[in-house]
């Protein structure tokens, strides 16, 4: 996080549901990216480096399904980002999203289960705790 606005980088990986024969297309990734721009994020870009994970069909498909987001860690923005990702999955009705923000990971699926709501709350609480600790350290508060 930077001292001028709590900027952090989140990696969002879009996973397809191979058992249903569905893939995350470049068009879907582009559409999601356009929706993300509406959240007033600092930056939204595709991930350009690294080999394709085992089980994926090609590096190009993997790169098209990974987005790096630079955002302020304001509580409302993090919640809005998670809500948008959940909505995208519900509309697609397949696959999952893995989001990593700092040391925190969250896996979302198209189903809206109670365990998922609990995971989201735990993720959000952990991110908030780290943001508050970083602010305290920057201000010299030891306690």
């Amino acid at each position: 996080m930077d001292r001028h606005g709590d900027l952090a980088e989140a990696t969002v990986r879009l996973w397809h549901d191979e058992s249903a024969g569905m893939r995350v297309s470049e068009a879907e990734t582009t559409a999601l990216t356009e929706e993300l721009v509406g959240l007033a994020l600092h930056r939204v870009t595709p991930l350009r480096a690294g080999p394709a994970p085992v089980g994926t069909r090609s590096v190009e498909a993997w790169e098209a399904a990974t987005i790096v987001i630079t955002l302020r860690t304001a509580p409302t923005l993090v919640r809005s980002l998670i809500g948008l990702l959940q909505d995208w999955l519900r509309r697609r009705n397949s696959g999952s999203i893995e989001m990593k923000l700092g040391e925190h990971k969250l896996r979302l699926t198209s189903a809206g289960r109670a365990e998922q709501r609990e995971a989201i709350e735990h993720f959000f609480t952990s991110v908030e705790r780290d943001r508050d600790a970083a602010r305290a350290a920057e201000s010299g508060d030891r306690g």
Side-chain angles (χ1 to χ4, degrees):
M1 291 184 215
D2 85 350
R3 63 186 184 89
H4 299 293
D6 300 324
L7 286 179
E9 206 169 78
T11 303
V12 176
R13 292 187 175 160
L14 312 172
W15 299 87
H16 61 277
D17 183 355
E18 269 196 58
S19 64
M22 301 189 78
R23 294 185 49 207
V24 176
S25 71
E26 188 172 344
E28 288 175 305
T29 304
T30 299
L32 175 59
T33 300
E34 289 171 2
E35 287 185 48
L36 290 168
V37 170
L39 288 180
L41 302 167
H42 185 70
R43 185 177 315 140
V44 179
T45 56
L47 183 64
R48 297 278 183 213
V54 175
T56 59
R57 296 176 190 210
S58 71
V59 174
E60 292 80 20
W62 172 246
E63 288 177 350
T66 304
I67 301 169
V68 178
I69 301 168
T70 306
L71 71 154
R72 299 201 188 289
T73 57
T76 55
L77 186 55
V78 174
R79 283 193 187 274
S80 294
L81 173 59
I82 292 169
L84 188 145
L85 295 173
Q86 282 183 296
D87 184 56
W88 185 82
L89 278 172
R90 277 189 213 106
R91 285 182 276 134
R92 194 169 184 277
N93 199 28
S94 177
S96 62
I97 292 178
E98 180 182 278
M99 182 172 131
K100 183 176 181 194
L101 180 59
E103 297 299 315
H104 310 288
K105 289 184 183 179
L106 176 64
R107 185 136 179 133
L108 301 170
T109 63
S110 58
R113 295 182 220 127
E115 305 88 45
Q116 186 163 295
R117 285 190 298 274
E118 289 175 20
I120 291 167
E121 280 307 311
H122 176 73
F123 175 85
F124 183 72
T125 300
S126 298
V127 168
E128 276 288 285
R129 191 176 320 121
D130 283 1
R131 185 178 73 102
D132 292 345
R135 282 185 171 171
E138 288 174 3
S139 70
D141 184 7
R142 304 278 183 228

